[in-house]
Amino acid sequence: MDDDGTRGGRGPGADRAPGPAAPPPPAHPPRVPHPASGTHPADPHQGDRNQADPYPAGRKQADPQPGRPAEQWRAGSASAQPVEHRQAVPGPAAPPVDQPAPGAPVDAWLRTPRPQQEPGVWRYGYTPPPPEESERVSDRSLLVGALIALLSALLLWSLWRNGYLPYRLVPLKLFTPGEWWNPGTSGGPRTIEGSDALTVYEAILFGLLAYGCGRIGNFSELFRRHVAERGQPFLALAAAAAAGLTQLLVWKETLPVVRPVLVLVASVAGGEIYQSQTVVNVIYGLIAAAVLWPFARLGRWRELIAARRGGGTAPAPADPSAPATTTSADQWPELRAAGWADAADTLTAEVRTGRMNDVDVARLRHAWRLATRRPDRLGPLAESVLRTGGAAALHPSGHRDLPRRTARHDVLTGQVRIGRCADDSHNPYVRRGTGLALDPALLGTSLLAVGPPGAGKSARLVRPAVEALALRALAGQAAVLAVGGAGEPLGPDDAFDVVVRVGHPGSAHDIDLYGGTTDPDEAAAVLAEGLVGDVGSLDSRRAATVLAQLLGPYRAAHGHFPSVPELRELLDGTPAAFAGLRASLEAAGHHAMLRELDARSRQAGGPGDPAPALADRVALLDRPTFAGFFATGPDARPFELRALGQYPLRVRVDLPERGHAEASRLLTRLLLAQFTAITAARTDTSLFVCLVLDDATHAVTAETVRGIRRLRSVNAGAVLALRTVDDVPEALHTPLLGAVGCTAAFSGITTWDGKRFAEAWGKEWVETREVAQHTVFADQPFTRALHALRKLVTGKAVTTDAVTVRQVEKERWSASELAYAVPSGHAVIRLANVDGEHAPPLLVHLDG
């Protein structure tokens, strides 16, 4: 992130915010270089972007920092940091950005098919697998069968040619005149016509024998497996060798081809046709071509020659002046259909010249969809496109891409590829070898990932999901809040608009313990869930009542909620704190709030009073490390979580897990409770909002589980990563697994965790085969002698197999298989989308 003057020390000082940058045109589409950290030059097209802002007016007013002008947020810094009156502390220089290898051009990327598939299938360029083979014959059986068929065919042909087969001429004599043949069933031809008929008859029989031999010997499968699958040029060379051998046998008249053809031509055109040597040469040439044609088709000679000819020349670049077709995705048909052909031509030229990336395409398409709902915005958006091209309707940060990507993304569909389905018997055949991807439709049902440390949850699943949501935020379609420990690989600072480093003196933002609300009851309910929601012996509703009895009077007296030290004193029942608050209420005439405070005074110290437990939890935040954080006065600048539901923000919260593990868990629990409460209260659900917890240990409570169930109905979701399911209270194991639609079990989990996943994934009907061997007892002396000889040779008694086939209900994955059969770097993932479609648990090799 850009931290020059925007993320400094926690005191008065610099108040500047650099303007957003206009990145230079990319050298390799579809990637656009990310602006480097530091002060960015002013964007010359900022005015155009403000005219064509695709986001609704309600979102423009949203500000994560109350009291700050909306114009500063819309034209803020490249990192979307607000203007702050804090002293700048120079930080270390940002490391150089490593750009990934350039991908395909945007026009080819747009034209790549993305067919609708089952949940989780990587749709970009998807091709269905070939039909499943019922039972694959072994190579040995295939070769032996082909050899037996060939030898049998040669034997039959030899018997035929030598006259050892009786009645071989009877079918021919039935359809030809009797004077052509000698008397008797075995009599040969008497005339020239009979000899010619026998020649054609033998050729027909040879063709039928060759076809039957090929079918019985399965020569097509033998050719496909051992010749065609080896590819070129072996395929062409093998076909050429076979063609040469066949030509030799044809002209040696070992194969009956030439004479039958000459006889048929003579019978149709007359024998005088052979008086011309030219005609004879043409007939011989046609015979040779007819023999070569099947081998040319089998060897794909034409494709090989075309590839050899075109291999030395590079394909011609696309002509930008080529006529547009409204059916092509890179021609922006939606703009042309609305009558904005000039804007469509501008974007088409931007795509073909490489000045747009995939994020620009997704952003402009989304902006156009939003503008069509408000016809008064179509004109300004089209004018902005004509002036700035692919830089129109930019994200307020000015970024057009992330500084680096660690996974494959398809921004057009919102998918991120996290792995490949393994070729395993547990996976359905159609899913083996296909890519597995996450998208907002899946994350909208929430995702729970469980695996031990080092299993790859953060690097191979959590970070790709955060990247995908960040790219979608740049396209104006999502907002993401990523929470993890300091130094966790959730992405560089430049990939986020707001970075909150809890307990770090250089953090530009604080956390609002009250979620930005002004309602004391709502603030008390969420705060109680975060403070003592994991304490099973305490009722969070009673804790919320205690907090409401203090937050309401304090806000009425001071105009804001208490800070951490003040809240701790009130919960401890300090007489001076109560007396000062009472005096302020009496002076202001808040008699209703005085009754609330009196009720708290009467209940303090009673049996079951949750105030001491609340004070102990608040004391975890009342530490010197957090001094200045969680401030609530007029000078406080906390980040309000409500802004996530109103603007496409990218927010990351770094927690001090190493030095303050319990406080980090408390804050994680508080953020989860605030997120579920705020998203459920949204009125505009067009923006997808997602919370990503890299470590949700002791963060899940009964109330947050109920909140997670409601997320899918308000276009929101949560990603929770756990080391073990035991990090959640035992009473919540089943409700949590039932609340999330997507679950992932990484390699290395215990059998106890595997049992819970196996129960959650259910069972399926499978066909089982049971083979029982029974000893064969012979009754006849000769048979007993044969059995004795066989036992003497093989050392085994003669047995017979009894096979029983039946349908049984079996677990999709057993607990033992999940614990011991999942290889390293793999996970078993079950996915479901918000429409109710689901995929079975799949063994996935993670490469995100």
Side-chain angles (χ1 to χ4, degrees):
M1 279 183 74
D2 179 27
D3 57 358
D4 187 5
T6 62
R7 291 180 51 251
R10 306 182 63 79
D15 57 355
R16 57 193 176 92
H28 302 284
R31 301 299 308 278
V32 172
H34 192 279
S37 62
T39 303
H40 300 276
D43 188 355
H45 305 305
Q46 180 66 36
D48 299 328
R49 287 199 301 272
N50 292 341
Q51 294 177 3
D53 193 346
Y55 308 115
R59 294 187 191 167
K60 292 182 182 179
Q61 300 172 0
D63 186 357
Q65 302 290 338
R68 177 167 157 265
E71 291 78 5
Q72 292 181 0
W73 169 246
R74 292 176 56 194
S77 67
S79 59
Q81 295 279 359
V83 176
E84 300 224 7
H85 300 281
R86 296 183 178 180
Q87 182 178 359
V89 175
V97 176
D98 299 328
Q99 293 290 348
V106 179
D107 52 354
W109 173 78
L110 273 172
R111 291 193 299 267
T112 302
R114 298 167 174 85
Q116 291 291 338
Q117 293 296 323
E118 297 179 1
V121 175
W122 175 249
R123 294 169 50 191
Y124 179 77
Y126 173 80
T127 55
E132 183 180 8
E133 299 177 357
S134 57
E135 290 186 5
R136 180 181 176 93
V137 181
S138 64
D139 293 342
R140 180 178 179 181
S141 300
L142 194 64
L143 291 173
V144 171
L147 181 60
I148 293 175
L150 180 60
L151 293 177
S152 300
L154 292 176
L155 177 62
L156 286 175
W157 184 245
S158 176
L159 295 175
W160 169 272
R161 294 297 298 269
N162 292 285
Y164 290 106
L165 295 180
Y167 310 106
R168 62 190 185 97
L169 298 180
V170 171
L172 181 60
K173 291 180 179 182
L174 292 176
F175 296 96
T176 55
E179 59 269 14
W180 288 5
W181 309 96
N182 292 319
T185 57
S186 60
R190 176 188 299 177
T191 62
I192 296 177
E193 291 82 358
S195 179
D196 293 342
L198 180 59
T199 300
V200 175
Y201 179 59
E202 288 182 345
I204 295 175
L205 289 180
F206 179 81
L208 294 176
L209 181 62
Y211 176 78
C213 174
R215 294 284 294 180
I216 295 174
N218 204 0
F219 278 86
S220 60
E221 176 65 17
L222 185 67
F223 174 81
R224 183 189 65 82
R225 188 180 303 183
H226 295 282
V227 179
E229 288 185 354
R230 301 184 64 173
Q232 301 287 11
F234 180 82
L235 176 61
L237 294 176
L245 178 62
T246 305
Q247 287 281 9
L248 179 63
L249 296 177
V250 166
W251 297 115
K252 290 289 186 179
E253 295 191 0
T254 305
L255 301 179
V257 176
V258 179
R259 288 188 63 189
V261 172
L262 295 177
V263 169
L264 289 175
V265 172
S267 64
V268 174
E272 296 82 4
I273 193 174
Y274 294 119
Q275 295 178 0
S276 172
Q277 186 63 35
T278 302
V279 173
V280 174
N281 293 336
V282 170
I283 293 175
Y284 284 165
L286 292 176
I287 293 174
V291 172
L292 286 178
W293 180 77
F295 296 97
R297 291 289 303 272
L298 290 176
R300 301 174 185 174
W301 294 352
R302 185 177 180 181
E303 299 177 8
L304 180 62
I305 294 174
R308 294 295 183 183
R309 288 180 177 178
T313 59
D319 184 9
S321 61
T325 59
T326 56
T327 58
S328 179
D330 61 336
Q331 305 298 323
W332 301 87
E334 59 272 15
L335 273 70
R336 299 182 188 277
W340 297 97
D342 293 341
D345 292 338
T346 300
L347 294 179
T348 301
E350 293 269 307
V351 167
R352 290 180 172 175
T353 55
R355 291 194 296 268
M356 287 181 64
N357 65 352
D358 51 355
V359 179
D360 296 331
V361 174
R363 185 187 68 252
L364 289 174
R365 284 194 169 190
H366 178 67
W368 186 261
R369 286 194 298 268
L370 291 180
T372 54
R373 303 174 187 173
R374 298 279 299 274
D376 57 315
R377 295 184 180 180
L378 291 176
L381 178 59
E383 292 293 332
S384 179
V385 168
L386 291 175
R387 295 180 183 179
T388 63
L394 271 184
H395 187 267
S397 66
H399 292 177
R400 299 172 67 177
D401 202 351
L402 298 179
R404 65 178 64 90
R405 302 185 187 184
T406 61
R408 293 180 59 188
H409 298 268
D410 184 20
V411 187
L412 203 60
T413 59
Q415 286 190 316
V416 52
R417 191 179 188 275
I418 62 172
R420 174 181 52 82
C421 295
D423 188 4
D424 187 83
S425 59
H426 287 89
N427 294 342
Y429 173 77
V430 295
R431 299 301 298 269
R432 298 174 190 174
T434 61
L436 191 80
L438 298 177
D439 57 57
L442 298 174
L443 297 180
T445 64
S446 299
L447 186 148
L448 175 66
V450 179
K457 300 188 301 298
S458 299
R460 299 182 179 183
L461 190 144
V462 174
R463 177 161 181 174
V466 173
E467 280 186 4
L469 293 169
L471 288 172
R472 204 151 180 86
L474 291 178
Q477 304 175 48
V480 56
L481 172 61
V483 181
E488 293 294 338
L490 295 181
D493 291 357
D494 288 343
F496 296 92
D497 302 317
V498 176
V499 174
V500 181
R501 291 186 172 90
V502 180
H504 193 282
S507 178
H509 299 276
D510 302 336
I511 291 181
D512 188 355
L513 296 180
Y514 306 100
T517 182
T518 57
D519 185 1
D521 293 329
E522 181 181 352
V526 176
L527 184 58
E529 197 65 32
L531 291 177
V532 295
D534 62 327
V535 182
S537 59
L538 286 180
D539 187 359
S540 59
R541 290 174 295 182
R542 291 194 59 189
T545 301
V546 171
L547 289 172
Q549 291 173 343
L550 298 175
L551 297 182
Y554 191 95
R555 179 172 179 79
H558 300 282
H560 58 82
F561 291 121
S563 62
V564 169
E566 294 167 336
L567 179 60
R568 181 184 180 184
E569 290 180 353
L570 292 173
L571 290 172
D572 283 333
T574 305
F578 267 81
L581 181 57
R582 186 183 303 275
S584 299
L585 292 174
E586 290 175 351
H590 295 291
H591 301 290
M593 292 303 170
L594 280 173
R595 289 195 298 270
E596 287 284 299
L597 192 61
D598 292 338
R600 172 85 290 268
S601 299
R602 291 192 302 269
Q603 296 171 4
D609 183 17
L614 290 170
D616 293 339
R617 289 300 179 89
V618 172
L620 296 173
L621 304 179
D622 190 16
R623 305 296 301 164
T625 303
F626 306 126
F629 271 84
F630 318 120
T632 58
D635 297 332
R637 302 299 298 258
F639 169 73
E640 294 182 0
L641 207 61
R642 291 182 180 274
L644 282 175
Q646 300 169 336
Y647 210 83
L649 285 172
R650 302 167 295 164
V651 184
R652 193 187 79 205
V653 177
D654 294 343
L655 300 176
E657 290 184 345
R658 290 178 176 84
H660 302 273
E662 194 62 31
S664 298
R665 293 172 182 175
L666 188 152
L667 293 175
T668 302
R669 191 163 52 250
L670 178 62
L671 290 173
L672 178 57
Q674 289 183 355
F675 180 83
T676 55
I678 291 173
T679 53
R682 285 195 305 165
T683 56
D684 181 10
T685 59
S686 59
L687 191 70
F688 178 73
V689 185
C690 189
L691 170 67
V692 181
L693 298 181
D694 189 53
D695 185 5
T697 303
H698 300 296
V700 179
T701 64
E703 184 61 32
T704 54
V705 169
R706 285 188 287 268
I708 290 174
R709 287 198 186 100
R710 296 191 296 265
L711 291 180
R712 69 176 66 188
S713 63
V714 293
N715 196 21
V719 178
L720 310 177
L722 295 171
R723 295 182 177 90
T724 174
V725 182
D726 289 332
D727 290 339
V728 177
E730 186 176 359
L732 298 179
H733 290 174
T734 300
L736 177 60
L737 289 172
V740 298
C742 304
T743 50
F746 283 72
S747 61
I749 65 172
T750 63
T751 53
W752 293 273
D753 289 342
K755 180 181 178 181
R756 297 181 180 95
F757 280 107
E759 293 175 351
W761 292 338
K763 300 179 180 181
E764 62 179 346
W765 289 98
V766 296
E767 183 181 277
T768 61
R769 297 170 59 92
E770 296 180 357
V771 180
Q773 292 185 342
H774 303 283
T775 303
V776 177
F777 298 97
D779 296 332
Q780 301 298 325
F782 181 73
T783 308
R784 286 200 298 268
L786 289 179
H787 287 185
L789 179 61
R790 180 176 176 180
K791 184 176 181 180
L792 181 64
V793 174
T794 62
K796 297 180 180 178
V798 180
T799 59
T800 182
D801 294 340
V803 181
T804 303
V805 180
R806 58 180 180 177
Q807 295 283 337
V808 297
E809 197 175 16
K810 180 183 177 183
E811 290 179 333
R812 300 178 184 271
W813 281 84
S814 67
S816 298
E817 288 175 329
L818 290 173
Y820 303 111
V822 179
S824 177
H826 291 66
V828 181
I829 302 178
R830 187 255 187 189
L831 299 175
N833 60 19
V834 293
D835 295 329
E837 300 176 343
H838 60 85
L842 302 171
L843 178 63
V844 181
H845 175 254
L846 299 170
D847 55 8

